[in-house]
Amino acid sequence: MESAPLIQFENVSFYYTDEFGEKLPVLQNLNLTIAEGEFVTIIGHNGSGKSTLAKLMNALLLPAEGEVRVGPWKTGATQEVWKIRQMVGLVFQNPDNQIVGSTVEDDVAFGLENIGVPPAEMRERIDAALKAVGMAAYAQRQPHKLSGGQKQRTAIAGIIAMRPRVLILDEATAMLDPQGRKEIMELVRRLNREAGITVINISHFPEEAVDADRVVVMRQGKIFMQGTPRNVFADVTRLQETGLDVPLAVRIQHYLSANGVPIPPLLHQKELVEELCRLFLNR
Amino acid sequence: MPIIFEQVTHIYGAGTPFEKEALSAVSFAIPDEAFVGIIGQTGSGKSTLVQHLNGLLKPTRGRIQVGDWQIEPSSRLPAEFRSNVGLVFQYPEHQLFEETVAKDVAFGPRNLGLSEEAALLRAKEALETVGLSYDELKDRSPFHLSGGQMRRVALAGVLAMQSKVLVLDEPTAGLDPAGRKEILEAIYRIHRERKLTTFLVTHSMEEASRYADFLLVMAEGKVVLQGTPAEVFAEEELLRHHALAVPQTVELIQQINASLPGEQQIPVTLFREEELQDYLLHRLRQTRAVIIPE
Ligand SMILES: Nc1ncnc2c1ncn2[C@@H]1O[C@H](COP(=O)(O)OP(=O)(O)OP(=O)(O)O)[C@@H](O)[C@H]1O
Ligand SMILES: Nc1ncnc2c1ncn2[C@@H]1O[C@H](COP(=O)(O)OP(=O)(O)OP(=O)(O)O)[C@@H](O)[C@H]1O
Ligand SMILES: [Mg+2]
Ligand SMILES: [Mg+2]
């Protein structure tokens, strides 16, 4: 699965400039490598810099210091910004900032026209993408007259139709019901496994991170922890101290273990169920 | 404030090709000072329903009573009605509009006739309630913030109005886990201290079961189930039928129960995480008293 780095941050710093021209430092000296085919989940407190990091990955923002390399390009020193955006598709945190079409299908078509997909192929891609996110029945509807979750589904369809090599989801399922969120995460996992698409999922739901190859934890503009979900979530206290959380199964294991119950560290709910049954049945 | 919906139907774009009946003959009665959770799939009509509570939308048919006010299809509502119901929109950007965070949060109170000073004081208080520093953010543009920070500012703007009815449309979407907990705890405290009537739209069964006295379950524009959290979660089949899940704690209990003999089953009413944890610990101490130190 591991292969050449596709995205590489080298000593990246980034500032926003406020209304008075003052610099607001956001990212400081950040290093990060994303390999082709990887599934990375990014978690972190509000304002820790996750969305900023995402926008640096597709050249919507450029580093103030350091370098961001995407495929063969350095985002700060290339004219090929459109090629970068074609390669790295970003689903925005707020779908209103992304949706432009006057109907749901026009909106998906807009992105495809931009990257020069031939009309004959467009139809097929639009239908497939809307079907994949469960919005086929809404193709003719006006996007601004959809419910909150329907807008998010539309925004996701717009990006997956473009078949980017890297798919970044910036809290793209925050407005979906649990079942809907599960379905979209399954879709994304399938794109990762079957089509080899690199996925970067930004989320406040620790449950969404358990199946990732790697979890990156942001804190105040820096990478605070990273590793496999099993390793990162094992450090319950450290995560909770920074305002983050671990999956329910890990919380329960941690509580029981802290109270003297002989139960080993675990990650998945399935493992917790097995351990508890073993203890209850005195096996 | 007691709130009653009687056969409320809402049709968007009536008479156009895109006509959509988003609420179909919805009826319920909520007593004063209740904390109401509203759950339901994407597109089931939750946002449409709550926008009727402050008169932003009017029923196409049916009747709504909010305290002493009546809302009917042709009603005109006085401005003072709106100030009684504070609504936080699903997308915070839809309600932010001032140049600075301080002005934005102070807008509501100022509009209620408070002095500049008193309005800013309320803004400061409300920002602190949602975990933001007034001094750090007061002069920043509310649009140049992170998603979670914008959500907090929008919430503060509504809290600063100190209205008797509080309507929150997915207020915790986009908040980090600590923020979720702190802000909901603060809202719950305010709800009780000020004796508010509160509506919380949420996709989190955990939040719904923790704070609400009463749940409304929506599906395809109808209220398909209503009752206390315990009553609602007992209707697992009906919930599943509408593609809704029981809280994760209940799911966990069911998975454990599947491997335990009848007399050892864990009650599914333990949907509060702390209660479940305590119960598990207690049971394990009984089962394996020798091994686990007290
Ligand atoms: N356009 C902007 N102008 C100025 N400052 C900004 C702007 N956008 C974000 N910031 C600031 O940069 C910091 C990082 O913001 P960012 O949006 O990257 O955070 P985030 O981790 O995505 O947070 P959230 O979980 O709330 O979405 C925050 O302190 C925020 O206030
Ligand atoms: N302005 C509008 N015009 C036409 N139809 C609309 C409008 N707003 C919402 N709808 C439709 O009405 C139905 C109910 O929408 P509503 O926003 O109330 O759902 P919701 O339960 O809040 O969903 P979500 O969880 O996704 O926010 C949806 O099918 C939606 O597409
Ligand atoms: Mg963000
Ligand atoms: Mg809604």
Side-chain angles (χ1 to χ4, degrees), chain A:
Chain A
M1 186 186 289
E2 292 284 311
S3 60
L6 198 55
I7 297 182
Q8 202 159 17
F9 280 58
E10 232 179 76
N11 295 316
V12 171
S13 296
F14 180 84
Y15 314 87
Y16 288 105
T17 312
D18 74 5
E19 296 72 30
F20 314 102
E22 267 186 67
K23 278 183 179 176
L24 301 167
V26 177
L27 301 182
Q28 297 158 43
N29 250 315
L30 192 131
N31 292 291
L32 177 68
T33 304
I34 310 272
E36 176 126 48
E38 230 187 332
F39 193 124
V40 178
T41 298
I42 302 181
I43 60 177
H45 64 81
N46 290 139
S48 58
K50 304 179 297 297
S51 296
T52 305
L53 189 70
K55 289 175 188 160
L56 282 158
M57 290 181 181
N58 79 342
L60 274 174
L61 296 174
L62 300 175
E65 284 155 33
E67 250 169 35
V68 177
R69 257 172 277 147
V70 178
W73 305 289
K74 289 178 191 166
T75 63
T78 174
Q79 303 302 311
E80 312 280 12
V81 170
W82 284 108
K83 288 199 179 143
I84 295 177
R85 304 241 170 102
Q86 190 170 343
M87 178 167 143
V88 183
L90 167 61
V91 183
F92 283 163
Q93 188 160 3
N94 181 345
D96 288 333
N97 297 341
Q98 175 174 337
I99 294 173
V100 292
S102 59
T103 66
V104 166
E105 70 173 22
D106 279 356
D107 188 74
V108 179
F110 180 80
L112 296 179
E113 273 164 18
N114 262 343
I115 60 169
V117 173
E121 197 187 326
M122 261 170 55
R123 181 75 266 159
E124 195 184 309
R125 283 216 207 173
I126 294 169
D127 291 345
L130 288 178
K131 184 157 174 273
V133 301
M135 287 296 289
Y138 297 80
Q140 302 300 329
R141 295 272 295 273
Q142 293 166 275
H144 63 279
K145 293 187 172 172
L146 295 173
S147 80
Q150 290 165 345
K151 282 184 191 173
Q152 280 202 316
R153 287 172 183 265
T154 305
I156 295 167
I159 300 298
I160 62 171
M162 290 164 69
R163 300 192 184 148
R165 235 165 106 192
V166 183
L167 174 63
I168 309 179
L169 300 156
D170 191 355
E171 298 188 40
T173 62
M175 296 291 175
L176 298 185
D177 52 85
Q179 181 64 30
R181 200 159 63 227
K182 219 178 260 174
E183 284 163 18
I184 295 290
M185 287 318 292
E186 268 158 31
L187 166 70
V188 170
R189 220 163 280 138
R190 230 173 23 246
L191 290 173
N192 175 250
R193 292 217 182 107
E194 290 166 17
I197 290 178
T198 306
V199 175
I200 298 164
N201 183 36
I202 299 174
S203 175
H204 288 299
F205 296 102
E207 259 74 21
E208 272 187 20
V210 295
D211 293 321
D213 297 320
R214 178 157 54 123
V215 180
V216 173
V217 185
M218 295 284 296
R219 184 194 186 189
Q220 296 180 348
K222 293 190 179 134
I223 292 177
F224 176 60
M225 289 164 82
Q226 62 175 317
T228 61
R230 202 170 284 275
N231 286 335
V232 168
F233 289 132
D235 215 337
V236 180
T237 326
R238 193 146 170 246
L239 282 169
Q240 288 183 340
E241 271 166 12
T242 66
L244 299 174
D245 210 350
V246 298
L248 174 71
V250 180
R251 281 201 299 275
I252 293 182
Q253 181 278 334
H254 185 72
Y255 175 83
L256 294 177
S257 168
N259 281 286
V261 176
I263 183 167
L266 46 81
L267 179 66
H268 296 283
Q269 184 155 318
K270 194 169 84 227
E271 298 170 90
L272 177 67
V273 172
E274 278 165 20
E275 287 297 334
L276 286 173
C277 289
R278 181 180 59 79
L279 289 166
F280 278 136
L281 299 170
N282 244 321
R283 279 203 287 257

Side-chain angles (χ1 to χ4, degrees), chain B residues 52-276:
Chain B
H52 282 78
L53 291 165
N54 75 341
L56 208 61
L57 293 178
K58 295 220 190 85
T60 309
R61 286 192 292 277
R63 205 176 130 269
I64 299 166
Q65 196 178 326
V66 177
D68 292 334
W69 283 280
Q70 307 281 335
I71 312 178
E72 285 173 8
S74 57
S75 300
R76 294 194 170 198
L77 295 161
E80 71 187 276
F81 170 72
R82 290 240 170 125
S83 66
N84 262 295
V85 182
L87 172 89
V88 183
F89 285 97
Q90 187 164 2
Y91 285 103
E93 286 90 335
H94 294 175
Q95 87 192 74
L96 301 172
F97 61 98
E98 284 277 11
E99 271 162 53
T100 69
V101 168
K103 279 190 194 165
D104 204 287
V105 180
F107 177 85
R110 201 184 294 121
N111 224 24
L112 293 175
L114 268 72
S115 70
E116 184 64 21
E117 203 182 342
L120 284 177
L121 197 68
R122 280 229 194 144
K124 188 168 180 194
E125 232 178 61
L127 283 167
E128 263 144 38
T129 303
V130 299
L132 294 177
S133 152
Y134 177 82
D135 292 326
E136 252 171 58
L137 291 180
K138 65 179 188 327
D139 297 325
R140 295 267 302 271
S141 158
F143 297 101
H144 294 168
L145 295 175
S146 81
Q149 291 165 337
M150 274 189 220
R151 159 83 57 205
R152 290 169 195 242
V153 174
L155 270 163
V158 170
L159 290 178
M161 286 173 46
Q162 303 191 351
S163 49
K164 289 304 275 182
V165 181
L166 198 54
V167 183
L168 309 162
D169 196 350
E170 299 190 34
T172 55
L175 293 183
D176 54 45
R180 246 168 203 261
K181 224 184 236 158
E182 277 160 26
I183 291 174
L184 278 180
E185 287 292 331
I187 287 171
Y188 191 60
R189 204 184 57 237
I190 295 170
H191 163 84
R192 301 189 52 160
E193 283 171 6
R194 302 205 188 128
K195 304 189 184 313
L196 307 183
T197 305
T198 303
F199 288 79
L200 171 72
V201 176
T202 180
H203 283 308
S204 159
M205 299 296 160
E206 286 69 31
E207 288 177 5
S209 59
R210 181 173 296 270
Y211 300 103
D213 320 307
F214 196 77
L215 292 182
L216 297 173
V217 183
M218 306 241 357
E220 291 172 27
K222 298 192 178 73
V223 171
V224 291
L225 194 59
Q226 48 180 309
T228 63
E231 285 165 357
V232 166
F233 298 138
E235 299 286 340
E236 204 195 329
E237 214 155 294
L238 191 63
L239 287 175
R240 262 191 228 291
H241 175 72
H242 293 294
L244 293 168
V246 292
Q248 213 192 335
T249 42
V250 175
E251 187 195 75
L252 174 67
I253 295 170
Q254 290 166 339
Q255 288 170 357
I256 301 170
N257 281 347
S259 312
L260 294 182
E263 73 282 3
Q264 283 198 37
Q265 297 280 299
I266 301 171
V268 285
T269 47
L270 292 169
F271 48 76
R272 276 180 173 245
E273 190 176 327
E274 301 89 313
E275 283 174 27
L276 176 60

